[in-house]
Amino acid sequence: MRLPFLIFLLGIAGLVPFVFLGGSIFIGHLFAPQPRLMLALLAYGACILSFLGAVHWGLAMERPDIINDRTTSDLDRWRLIFGVCPAVLAWLALYIGMVANPRTGLSLEILGFVAVYIFEKSGWKKGAIPQGYIRLRLALTIGVVISLLLAILGT
């Protein structure tokens, strides 16, 4: 299944702040520390990681029987449970990054993005994730991880 061009375009647009901030931190640290950019990247990463969990809530909630019926399918139950996990991890990464060490927070976000992709890839193999979506997620995950690594290496 091919995704509409708008979804592809918006996915790439969401990657732009990662690339800009990660690259700016990497290059900028050659001249001076960039703590505000690190926090901006950390906060943006936490927002997007939370959003990825919300996607799965949307997939579960799009079915009218989840609201009207007393039973929830195993797949929808897993989607609802999993949908909360990225938000909790994003909050933890943001908190640790702000209170203790931004590099540690960015590292946790990397783990979160990779874990979400692995979980989604598992769901895709079972037919629970659209094929076009999983390809886009792979490309975006690679872009995000590279950007976050650049920021970590730039400090």
Side-chain angles (χ1 to χ4, degrees):
M1 175 187 128
R2 290 187 56 170
L3 292 177
F5 182 71
L6 180 62
I7 292 174
F8 175 78
L9 187 63
L10 293 173
I12 297 300
L15 188 58
V16 169
F18 282 108
V19 173
F20 174 76
L21 289 168
S24 296
I25 293 165
F26 184 76
I27 293 169
H29 266 16
L30 297 175
F31 306 103
Q34 306 293 322
R36 293 179 194 257
L37 290 182
M38 289 282 284
L39 292 179
L41 180 59
L42 188 64
Y44 185 69
C47 289
I48 297 302
L49 191 55
S50 293
F51 173 77
L52 294 178
V55 166
H56 293 278
W57 268 56
L59 288 170
M61 298 297 285
E62 77 175 344
R63 296 186 27 189
D65 60 330
I66 196 170
I67 296 170
N68 299 334
D69 198 12
R70 290 185 173 192
T71 61
T72 304
S73 73
D74 286 342
L75 174 60
D76 289 332
R77 196 171 305 115
W78 275 109
R79 283 179 171 157
L80 292 170
I81 293 168
F82 171 73
V84 174
C85 295
V88 173
L89 182 60
W91 170 81
L92 183 63
L94 183 59
Y95 179 76
I96 289 172
M98 290 178 65
V99 173
N101 184 340
R103 294 170 79 186
T104 304
L106 293 174
S107 298
L108 282 172
E109 286 184 356
I110 289 172
L111 290 174
F113 280 102
V114 171
V116 167
Y117 177 75
I118 290 170
F119 183 83
E120 289 176 337
K121 179 78 173 196
S122 172
W124 171 77
K125 288 179 180 177
K126 297 174 184 171
I129 305 287
Q131 183 154 355
Y133 174 78
I134 201 67
R135 288 182 185 153
L136 177 61
R137 284 284 300 118
L138 175 60
L140 295 176
T141 300
I142 290 170
V144 167
V145 168
I146 288 171
S147 298
L148 293 174
L149 281 173
L150 280 175
I152 291 171
L153 294 173
T155 56

mmCIF file of all heavy atoms in Angstrom, residues 37-83:
data_model
loop_
_atom_site.group_PDB
_atom_site.id
_atom_site.type_symbol
_atom_site.label_atom_id
_atom_site.label_comp_id
_atom_site.label_asym_id
_atom_site.label_seq_id
_atom_site.Cartn_x
_atom_site.Cartn_y
_atom_site.Cartn_z
ATOM 1 N N LEU A 37 20.215 24.803 22.292
ATOM 2 C CA LEU A 37 19.846 23.959 21.150
ATOM 3 C C LEU A 37 19.694 22.505 21.578
ATOM 4 O O LEU A 37 18.833 21.793 21.068
ATOM 5 C CB LEU A 37 20.882 24.082 20.028
ATOM 6 C CG LEU A 37 20.926 25.404 19.271
ATOM 7 C CD1 LEU A 37 21.977 25.336 18.169
ATOM 8 C CD2 LEU A 37 19.569 25.772 18.700
ATOM 9 N N MET A 38 20.519 22.067 22.508
ATOM 10 C CA MET A 38 20.397 20.692 23.014
ATOM 11 C C MET A 38 19.030 20.494 23.660
ATOM 12 O O MET A 38 18.367 19.486 23.423
ATOM 13 C CB MET A 38 21.487 20.395 24.055
ATOM 14 C CG MET A 38 22.872 20.273 23.482
ATOM 15 S SD MET A 38 23.154 18.694 22.691
ATOM 16 C CE MET A 38 23.371 17.655 24.109
ATOM 17 N N LEU A 39 18.609 21.466 24.467
ATOM 18 C CA LEU A 39 17.301 21.348 25.120
ATOM 19 C C LEU A 39 16.174 21.437 24.100
ATOM 20 O O LEU A 39 15.153 20.763 24.248
ATOM 21 C CB LEU A 39 17.153 22.407 26.211
ATOM 22 C CG LEU A 39 18.059 22.217 27.432
ATOM 23 C CD1 LEU A 39 17.859 23.342 28.439
ATOM 24 C CD2 LEU A 39 17.827 20.868 28.079
ATOM 25 N N ALA A 40 16.350 22.264 23.077
ATOM 26 C CA ALA A 40 15.324 22.352 22.026
ATOM 27 C C ALA A 40 15.186 21.009 21.305
ATOM 28 O O ALA A 40 14.072 20.544 21.050
ATOM 29 C CB ALA A 40 15.677 23.461 21.033
ATOM 30 N N LEU A 41 16.310 20.395 20.998
ATOM 31 C CA LEU A 41 16.283 19.084 20.335
ATOM 32 C C LEU A 41 15.689 18.031 21.259
ATOM 33 O O LEU A 41 14.876 17.203 20.833
ATOM 34 C CB LEU A 41 17.696 18.683 19.903
ATOM 35 C CG LEU A 41 17.833 17.336 19.203
ATOM 36 C CD1 LEU A 41 16.991 17.278 17.929
ATOM 37 C CD2 LEU A 41 19.293 17.060 18.884
ATOM 38 N N LEU A 42 16.076 18.054 22.499
ATOM 39 C CA LEU A 42 15.550 17.109 23.485
ATOM 40 C C LEU A 42 14.029 17.226 23.596
ATOM 41 O O LEU A 42 13.310 16.223 23.585
ATOM 42 C CB LEU A 42 16.216 17.362 24.835
ATOM 43 C CG LEU A 42 15.949 16.386 25.957
ATOM 44 C CD1 LEU A 42 16.486 15.003 25.615
ATOM 45 C CD2 LEU A 42 16.599 16.891 27.239
ATOM 46 N N ALA A 43 13.532 18.466 23.682
ATOM 47 C CA ALA A 43 12.086 18.687 23.811
ATOM 48 C C ALA A 43 11.352 18.264 22.539
ATOM 49 O O ALA A 43 10.289 17.631 22.600
ATOM 50 C CB ALA A 43 11.806 20.154 24.119
ATOM 51 N N TYR A 44 11.901 18.594 21.375
ATOM 52 C CA TYR A 44 11.249 18.206 20.119
ATOM 53 C C TYR A 44 11.219 16.684 19.983
ATOM 54 O O TYR A 44 10.207 16.099 19.590
ATOM 55 C CB TYR A 44 11.960 18.842 18.916
ATOM 56 C CG TYR A 44 11.253 18.561 17.619
ATOM 57 C CD1 TYR A 44 10.010 19.120 17.350
ATOM 58 C CD2 TYR A 44 11.815 17.719 16.674
ATOM 59 C CE1 TYR A 44 9.344 18.850 16.164
ATOM 60 C CE2 TYR A 44 11.162 17.443 15.490
ATOM 61 C CZ TYR A 44 9.926 18.009 15.236
ATOM 62 O OH TYR A 44 9.265 17.734 14.058
ATOM 63 N N GLY A 45 12.325 16.044 20.323
ATOM 64 C CA GLY A 45 12.376 14.582 20.268
ATOM 65 C C GLY A 45 11.339 13.946 21.177
ATOM 66 O O GLY A 45 10.686 12.966 20.815
ATOM 67 N N ALA A 46 11.158 14.524 22.370
ATOM 68 C CA ALA A 46 10.161 13.994 23.301
ATOM 69 C C ALA A 46 8.752 14.157 22.735
ATOM 70 O O ALA A 46 7.917 13.247 22.857
ATOM 71 C CB ALA A 46 10.278 14.697 24.655
ATOM 72 N N CYS A 47 8.489 15.293 22.109
ATOM 73 C CA CYS A 47 7.157 15.517 21.500
ATOM 74 C C CYS A 47 6.885 14.498 20.402
ATOM 75 O O CYS A 47 5.800 13.901 20.351
ATOM 76 C CB CYS A 47 7.064 16.929 20.921
ATOM 77 S SG CYS A 47 6.998 18.227 22.154
ATOM 78 N N ILE A 48 7.855 14.284 19.539
ATOM 79 C CA ILE A 48 7.650 13.367 18.410
ATOM 80 C C ILE A 48 7.561 11.922 18.898
ATOM 81 O O ILE A 48 6.748 11.138 18.398
ATOM 82 C CB ILE A 48 8.761 13.541 17.352
ATOM 83 C CG1 ILE A 48 8.708 14.953 16.759
ATOM 84 C CG2 ILE A 48 8.642 12.491 16.251
ATOM 85 C CD1 ILE A 48 7.384 15.333 16.102
ATOM 86 N N LEU A 49 8.369 11.560 19.876
ATOM 87 C CA LEU A 49 8.290 10.205 20.423
ATOM 88 C C LEU A 49 6.906 9.956 21.028
ATOM 89 O O LEU A 49 6.308 8.890 20.822
ATOM 90 C CB LEU A 49 9.394 9.998 21.460
ATOM 91 C CG LEU A 49 9.649 8.589 21.963
ATOM 92 C CD1 LEU A 49 9.909 7.617 20.824
ATOM 93 C CD2 LEU A 49 10.835 8.597 22.925
ATOM 94 N N SER A 50 6.374 10.935 21.726
ATOM 95 C CA SER A 50 5.013 10.817 22.276
ATOM 96 C C SER A 50 3.990 10.677 21.165
ATOM 97 O O SER A 50 3.037 9.895 21.269
ATOM 98 C CB SER A 50 4.683 12.046 23.124
ATOM 99 O OG SER A 50 5.481 12.081 24.259
ATOM 100 N N PHE A 51 4.172 11.434 20.102
ATOM 101 C CA PHE A 51 3.254 11.376 18.969
ATOM 102 C C PHE A 51 3.216 9.978 18.357
ATOM 103 O O PHE A 51 2.141 9.503 17.956
ATOM 104 C CB PHE A 51 3.668 12.403 17.908
ATOM 105 C CG PHE A 51 2.889 12.301 16.639
ATOM 106 C CD1 PHE A 51 1.591 12.799 16.562
ATOM 107 C CD2 PHE A 51 3.433 11.685 15.525
ATOM 108 C CE1 PHE A 51 0.863 12.686 15.391
ATOM 109 C CE2 PHE A 51 2.707 11.581 14.348
ATOM 110 C CZ PHE A 51 1.420 12.079 14.283
ATOM 111 N N LEU A 52 4.356 9.312 18.302
ATOM 112 C CA LEU A 52 4.386 7.960 17.728
ATOM 113 C C LEU A 52 3.504 6.998 18.513
ATOM 114 O O LEU A 52 2.870 6.115 17.941
ATOM 115 C CB LEU A 52 5.819 7.440 17.658
ATOM 116 C CG LEU A 52 6.740 8.193 16.710
ATOM 117 C CD1 LEU A 52 8.136 7.609 16.764
ATOM 118 C CD2 LEU A 52 6.196 8.196 15.297
ATOM 119 N N GLY A 53 3.463 7.172 19.813
ATOM 120 C CA GLY A 53 2.544 6.362 20.617
ATOM 121 C C GLY A 53 1.100 6.705 20.312
ATOM 122 O O GLY A 53 0.230 5.825 20.250
ATOM 123 N N ALA A 54 0.843 7.989 20.113
ATOM 124 C CA ALA A 54 -0.529 8.435 19.814
ATOM 125 C C ALA A 54 -1.029 7.861 18.490
ATOM 126 O O ALA A 54 -2.230 7.627 18.329
ATOM 127 C CB ALA A 54 -0.592 9.953 19.788
ATOM 128 N N VAL A 55 -0.130 7.614 17.559
ATOM 129 C CA VAL A 55 -0.524 7.002 16.281
ATOM 130 C C VAL A 55 -1.206 5.665 16.544
ATOM 131 O O VAL A 55 -2.226 5.339 15.931
ATOM 132 C CB VAL A 55 0.704 6.825 15.353
ATOM 133 C CG1 VAL A 55 0.396 5.901 14.184
ATOM 134 C CG2 VAL A 55 1.190 8.179 14.861
ATOM 135 N N HIS A 56 -0.680 4.914 17.481
ATOM 136 C CA HIS A 56 -1.246 3.589 17.759
ATOM 137 C C HIS A 56 -2.580 3.683 18.491
ATOM 138 O O HIS A 56 -3.450 2.842 18.304
ATOM 139 C CB HIS A 56 -0.223 2.724 18.499
ATOM 140 C CG HIS A 56 0.924 2.406 17.609
ATOM 141 N ND1 HIS A 56 0.877 1.388 16.689
ATOM 142 C CD2 HIS A 56 2.105 3.021 17.435
ATOM 143 C CE1 HIS A 56 1.997 1.381 15.998
ATOM 144 N NE2 HIS A 56 2.759 2.362 16.432
ATOM 145 N N TRP A 57 -2.745 4.699 19.301
ATOM 146 C CA TRP A 57 -4.064 4.933 19.891
ATOM 147 C C TRP A 57 -5.053 5.253 18.778
ATOM 148 O O TRP A 57 -6.190 4.787 18.803
ATOM 149 C CB TRP A 57 -3.991 6.088 20.905
ATOM 150 C CG TRP A 57 -3.720 5.597 22.279
ATOM 151 C CD1 TRP A 57 -2.674 4.831 22.682
ATOM 152 C CD2 TRP A 57 -4.533 5.824 23.419
ATOM 153 N NE1 TRP A 57 -2.766 4.582 24.026
ATOM 154 C CE2 TRP A 57 -3.899 5.185 24.501
ATOM 155 C CE3 TRP A 57 -5.708 6.519 23.645
ATOM 156 C CZ2 TRP A 57 -4.422 5.208 25.787
ATOM 157 C CZ3 TRP A 57 -6.221 6.551 24.933
ATOM 158 C CH2 TRP A 57 -5.578 5.894 25.977
ATOM 159 N N GLY A 58 -4.612 6.042 17.818
ATOM 160 C CA GLY A 58 -5.486 6.368 16.686
ATOM 161 C C GLY A 58 -5.875 5.130 15.895
ATOM 162 O O GLY A 58 -7.034 4.975 15.496
ATOM 163 N N LEU A 59 -4.930 4.233 15.671
ATOM 164 C CA LEU A 59 -5.237 2.998 14.952
ATOM 165 C C LEU A 59 -6.251 2.151 15.719
ATOM 166 O O LEU A 59 -7.137 1.540 15.129
ATOM 167 C CB LEU A 59 -3.961 2.192 14.695
ATOM 168 C CG LEU A 59 -3.001 2.757 13.650
ATOM 169 C CD1 LEU A 59 -1.687 1.996 13.673
ATOM 170 C CD2 LEU A 59 -3.623 2.720 12.264
ATOM 171 N N ALA A 60 -6.111 2.107 17.034
ATOM 172 C CA ALA A 60 -7.044 1.319 17.847
ATOM 173 C C ALA A 60 -8.411 1.993 17.922
ATOM 174 O O ALA A 60 -9.443 1.323 17.860
ATOM 175 C CB ALA A 60 -6.476 1.118 19.255
ATOM 176 N N MET A 61 -8.428 3.302 18.051
ATOM 177 C CA MET A 61 -9.681 4.025 18.262
ATOM 178 C C MET A 61 -10.474 4.265 16.982
ATOM 179 O O MET A 61 -11.624 4.659 17.041
ATOM 180 C CB MET A 61 -9.403 5.368 18.940
ATOM 181 C CG MET A 61 -8.768 5.238 20.312
ATOM 182 S SD MET A 61 -9.791 4.396 21.517
ATOM 183 C CE MET A 61 -10.966 5.667 21.882
ATOM 184 N N GLU A 62 -9.862 4.032 15.829
ATOM 185 C CA GLU A 62 -10.597 4.262 14.580
ATOM 186 C C GLU A 62 -11.726 3.242 14.381
ATOM 187 O O GLU A 62 -12.650 3.476 13.629
ATOM 188 C CB GLU A 62 -9.655 4.242 13.382
ATOM 189 C CG GLU A 62 -9.227 2.855 12.949
ATOM 190 C CD GLU A 62 -8.395 2.859 11.689
ATOM 191 O OE1 GLU A 62 -8.388 3.866 10.973
ATOM 192 O OE2 GLU A 62 -7.740 1.845 11.429
ATOM 193 N N ARG A 63 -11.633 2.151 15.085
ATOM 194 C CA ARG A 63 -12.672 1.126 14.974
ATOM 195 C C ARG A 63 -13.823 1.473 15.894
ATOM 196 O O ARG A 63 -13.634 1.616 17.107
ATOM 197 C CB ARG A 63 -12.086 -0.238 15.348
ATOM 198 C CG ARG A 63 -11.014 -0.674 14.378
ATOM 199 C CD ARG A 63 -10.549 -2.049 14.657
ATOM 200 N NE ARG A 63 -11.614 -2.808 15.294
ATOM 201 C CZ ARG A 63 -11.442 -3.996 15.801
ATOM 202 N NH1 ARG A 63 -10.281 -4.557 15.757
ATOM 203 N NH2 ARG A 63 -12.439 -4.652 16.360
ATOM 204 N N PRO A 64 -15.029 1.587 15.388
ATOM 205 C CA PRO A 64 -16.156 1.979 16.228
ATOM 206 C C PRO A 64 -16.505 0.963 17.313
ATOM 207 O O PRO A 64 -17.003 1.336 18.365
ATOM 208 C CB PRO A 64 -17.317 2.125 15.254
ATOM 209 C CG PRO A 64 -16.855 1.620 13.953
ATOM 210 C CD PRO A 64 -15.380 1.420 14.008
ATOM 211 N N ASP A 65 -16.188 -0.311 17.098
ATOM 212 C CA ASP A 65 -16.565 -1.324 18.082
ATOM 213 C C ASP A 65 -15.751 -1.247 19.375
ATOM 214 O O ASP A 65 -16.153 -1.775 20.397
ATOM 215 C CB ASP A 65 -16.481 -2.734 17.487
ATOM 216 C CG ASP A 65 -15.091 -3.089 17.020
ATOM 217 O OD1 ASP A 65 -14.348 -2.163 16.620
ATOM 218 O OD2 ASP A 65 -14.738 -4.264 17.043
ATOM 219 N N ILE A 66 -14.617 -0.545 19.350
ATOM 220 C CA ILE A 66 -13.836 -0.444 20.581
ATOM 221 C C ILE A 66 -14.567 0.418 21.607
ATOM 222 O O ILE A 66 -14.425 0.234 22.808
ATOM 223 C CB ILE A 66 -12.418 0.112 20.314
ATOM 224 C CG1 ILE A 66 -11.523 -0.160 21.521
ATOM 225 C CG2 ILE A 66 -12.440 1.593 20.009
ATOM 226 C CD1 ILE A 66 -10.077 0.127 21.275
ATOM 227 N N ILE A 67 -15.373 1.350 21.142
ATOM 228 C CA ILE A 67 -16.118 2.225 22.037
ATOM 229 C C ILE A 67 -17.470 1.607 22.393
ATOM 230 O O ILE A 67 -17.917 1.666 23.532
ATOM 231 C CB ILE A 67 -16.305 3.614 21.398
ATOM 232 C CG1 ILE A 67 -14.938 4.260 21.215
ATOM 233 C CG2 ILE A 67 -17.209 4.491 22.237
ATOM 234 C CD1 ILE A 67 -14.952 5.508 20.388
ATOM 235 N N ASN A 68 -18.119 0.987 21.435
ATOM 236 C CA ASN A 68 -19.469 0.472 21.636
ATOM 237 C C ASN A 68 -19.514 -0.929 22.240
ATOM 238 O O ASN A 68 -20.505 -1.309 22.826
ATOM 239 C CB ASN A 68 -20.221 0.462 20.305
ATOM 240 C CG ASN A 68 -20.344 1.850 19.731
ATOM 241 O OD1 ASN A 68 -20.333 2.833 20.462
ATOM 242 N ND2 ASN A 68 -20.442 1.938 18.427
ATOM 243 N N ASP A 69 -18.456 -1.682 22.071
ATOM 244 C CA ASP A 69 -18.457 -3.069 22.499
ATOM 245 C C ASP A 69 -17.751 -3.194 23.848
ATOM 246 O O ASP A 69 -16.904 -2.391 24.196
ATOM 247 C CB ASP A 69 -17.729 -3.911 21.442
ATOM 248 C CG ASP A 69 -18.057 -5.385 21.569
ATOM 249 O OD1 ASP A 69 -18.986 -5.753 22.301
ATOM 250 O OD2 ASP A 69 -17.368 -6.165 20.929
ATOM 251 N N ARG A 70 -18.101 -4.192 24.596
ATOM 252 C CA ARG A 70 -17.459 -4.405 25.895
ATOM 253 C C ARG A 70 -16.134 -5.129 25.761
ATOM 254 O O ARG A 70 -15.375 -5.188 26.716
ATOM 255 C CB ARG A 70 -18.385 -5.209 26.805
ATOM 256 C CG ARG A 70 -19.575 -4.408 27.236
ATOM 257 C CD ARG A 70 -20.378 -5.181 28.214
ATOM 258 N NE ARG A 70 -21.433 -4.320 28.729
ATOM 259 C CZ ARG A 70 -22.172 -4.603 29.748
ATOM 260 N NH1 ARG A 70 -22.006 -5.733 30.376
ATOM 261 N NH2 ARG A 70 -23.099 -3.777 30.152
ATOM 262 N N THR A 71 -15.848 -5.681 24.607
ATOM 263 C CA THR A 71 -14.603 -6.401 24.437
ATOM 264 C C THR A 71 -13.671 -5.611 23.521
ATOM 265 O O THR A 71 -14.109 -4.879 22.651
ATOM 266 C CB THR A 71 -14.839 -7.795 23.815
ATOM 267 O OG1 THR A 71 -15.430 -7.636 22.532
ATOM 268 C CG2 THR A 71 -15.728 -8.627 24.703
ATOM 269 N N THR A 72 -12.409 -5.775 23.769
ATOM 270 C CA THR A 72 -11.379 -5.154 22.948
ATOM 271 C C THR A 72 -10.518 -6.286 22.413
ATOM 272 O O THR A 72 -10.121 -7.173 23.174
ATOM 273 C CB THR A 72 -10.530 -4.194 23.803
ATOM 274 O OG1 THR A 72 -11.398 -3.245 24.416
ATOM 275 C CG2 THR A 72 -9.521 -3.465 22.959
ATOM 276 N N SER A 73 -10.222 -6.241 21.123
ATOM 277 C CA SER A 73 -9.398 -7.301 20.549
ATOM 278 C C SER A 73 -7.996 -7.253 21.148
ATOM 279 O O SER A 73 -7.549 -6.226 21.666
ATOM 280 C CB SER A 73 -9.323 -7.140 19.028
ATOM 281 O OG SER A 73 -8.494 -6.045 18.694
ATOM 282 N N ASP A 74 -7.301 -8.369 21.068
ATOM 283 C CA ASP A 74 -5.927 -8.420 21.575
ATOM 284 C C ASP A 74 -5.053 -7.393 20.872
ATOM 285 O O ASP A 74 -4.242 -6.723 21.513
ATOM 286 C CB ASP A 74 -5.335 -9.824 21.387
ATOM 287 C CG ASP A 74 -5.900 -10.833 22.369
ATOM 288 O OD1 ASP A 74 -6.474 -10.399 23.397
ATOM 289 O OD2 ASP A 74 -5.765 -12.036 22.112
ATOM 290 N N LEU A 75 -5.223 -7.265 19.569
ATOM 291 C CA LEU A 75 -4.434 -6.295 18.813
ATOM 292 C C LEU A 75 -4.693 -4.878 19.305
ATOM 293 O O LEU A 75 -3.755 -4.120 19.557
ATOM 294 C CB LEU A 75 -4.762 -6.394 17.317
ATOM 295 C CG LEU A 75 -4.104 -5.334 16.429
ATOM 296 C CD1 LEU A 75 -2.589 -5.420 16.513
ATOM 297 C CD2 LEU A 75 -4.593 -5.477 15.002
ATOM 298 N N ASP A 76 -5.948 -4.519 19.482
ATOM 299 C CA ASP A 76 -6.266 -3.166 19.953
ATOM 300 C C ASP A 76 -5.796 -2.951 21.388
ATOM 301 O O ASP A 76 -5.338 -1.865 21.744
ATOM 302 C CB ASP A 76 -7.767 -2.899 19.842
ATOM 303 C CG ASP A 76 -8.204 -2.752 18.393
ATOM 304 O OD1 ASP A 76 -7.372 -2.336 17.562
ATOM 305 O OD2 ASP A 76 -9.366 -3.053 18.092
ATOM 306 N N ARG A 77 -5.864 -3.976 22.197
ATOM 307 C CA ARG A 77 -5.376 -3.871 23.570
ATOM 308 C C ARG A 77 -3.877 -3.588 23.571
ATOM 309 O O ARG A 77 -3.394 -2.711 24.293
ATOM 310 C CB ARG A 77 -5.688 -5.160 24.335
ATOM 311 C CG ARG A 77 -5.585 -5.012 25.824
ATOM 312 C CD ARG A 77 -6.099 -6.238 26.585
ATOM 313 N NE ARG A 77 -7.477 -6.580 26.220
ATOM 314 C CZ ARG A 77 -7.845 -7.705 25.609
ATOM 315 N NH1 ARG A 77 -6.966 -8.640 25.321
ATOM 316 N NH2 ARG A 77 -9.104 -7.934 25.305
ATOM 317 N N TRP A 78 -3.128 -4.313 22.711
ATOM 318 C CA TRP A 78 -1.687 -4.071 22.609
ATOM 319 C C TRP A 78 -1.407 -2.676 22.084
ATOM 320 O O TRP A 78 -0.474 -2.014 22.538
ATOM 321 C CB TRP A 78 -1.024 -5.127 21.723
ATOM 322 C CG TRP A 78 -0.680 -6.362 22.489
ATOM 323 C CD1 TRP A 78 -1.279 -7.590 22.389
ATOM 324 C CD2 TRP A 78 0.321 -6.495 23.499
ATOM 325 N NE1 TRP A 78 -0.709 -8.467 23.268
ATOM 326 C CE2 TRP A 78 0.283 -7.824 23.966
ATOM 327 C CE3 TRP A 78 1.239 -5.619 24.055
ATOM 328 C CZ2 TRP A 78 1.127 -8.293 24.953
ATOM 329 C CZ3 TRP A 78 2.094 -6.085 25.046
ATOM 330 C CH2 TRP A 78 2.032 -7.408 25.475
ATOM 331 N N ARG A 79 -2.201 -2.224 21.113
ATOM 332 C CA ARG A 79 -2.007 -0.867 20.579
ATOM 333 C C ARG A 79 -2.224 0.181 21.660
ATOM 334 O O ARG A 79 -1.481 1.156 21.744
ATOM 335 C CB ARG A 79 -2.959 -0.611 19.419
ATOM 336 C CG ARG A 79 -2.522 -1.259 18.141
ATOM 337 C CD ARG A 79 -3.509 -0.984 17.033
ATOM 338 N NE ARG A 79 -2.954 -1.430 15.770
ATOM 339 C CZ ARG A 79 -3.681 -1.735 14.715
ATOM 340 N NH1 ARG A 79 -4.987 -1.632 14.759
ATOM 341 N NH2 ARG A 79 -3.098 -2.121 13.599
ATOM 342 N N LEU A 80 -3.244 -0.005 22.481
ATOM 343 C CA LEU A 80 -3.526 0.964 23.542
ATOM 344 C C LEU A 80 -2.423 0.957 24.595
ATOM 345 O O LEU A 80 -1.984 2.020 25.054
ATOM 346 C CB LEU A 80 -4.892 0.677 24.176
ATOM 347 C CG LEU A 80 -6.099 0.916 23.267
ATOM 348 C CD1 LEU A 80 -7.362 0.376 23.914
ATOM 349 C CD2 LEU A 80 -6.243 2.394 22.938
ATOM 350 N N ILE A 81 -1.974 -0.226 24.983
ATOM 351 C CA ILE A 81 -0.902 -0.325 25.978
ATOM 352 C C ILE A 81 0.386 0.259 25.419
ATOM 353 O O ILE A 81 1.048 1.085 26.064
ATOM 354 C CB ILE A 81 -0.705 -1.788 26.425
ATOM 355 C CG1 ILE A 81 -1.928 -2.267 27.211
ATOM 356 C CG2 ILE A 81 0.580 -1.945 27.242
ATOM 357 C CD1 ILE A 81 -1.965 -3.763 27.443
ATOM 358 N N PHE A 82 0.743 -0.154 24.210
ATOM 359 C CA PHE A 82 1.978 0.342 23.597
ATOM 360 C C PHE A 82 1.920 1.846 23.362
ATOM 361 O O PHE A 82 2.935 2.538 23.495
ATOM 362 C CB PHE A 82 2.252 -0.372 22.270
ATOM 363 C CG PHE A 82 3.386 0.242 21.513
ATOM 364 C CD1 PHE A 82 4.690 0.061 21.943
ATOM 365 C CD2 PHE A 82 3.160 1.021 20.395
ATOM 366 C CE1 PHE A 82 5.746 0.647 21.258
ATOM 367 C CE2 PHE A 82 4.206 1.604 19.712
ATOM 368 C CZ PHE A 82 5.511 1.407 20.142
ATOM 369 N N GLY A 83 0.751 2.362 23.055
ATOM 370 C CA GLY A 83 0.607 3.783 22.764
ATOM 371 C C GLY A 83 1.024 4.690 23.901
ATOM 372 O O GLY A 83 1.403 5.841 23.689
#
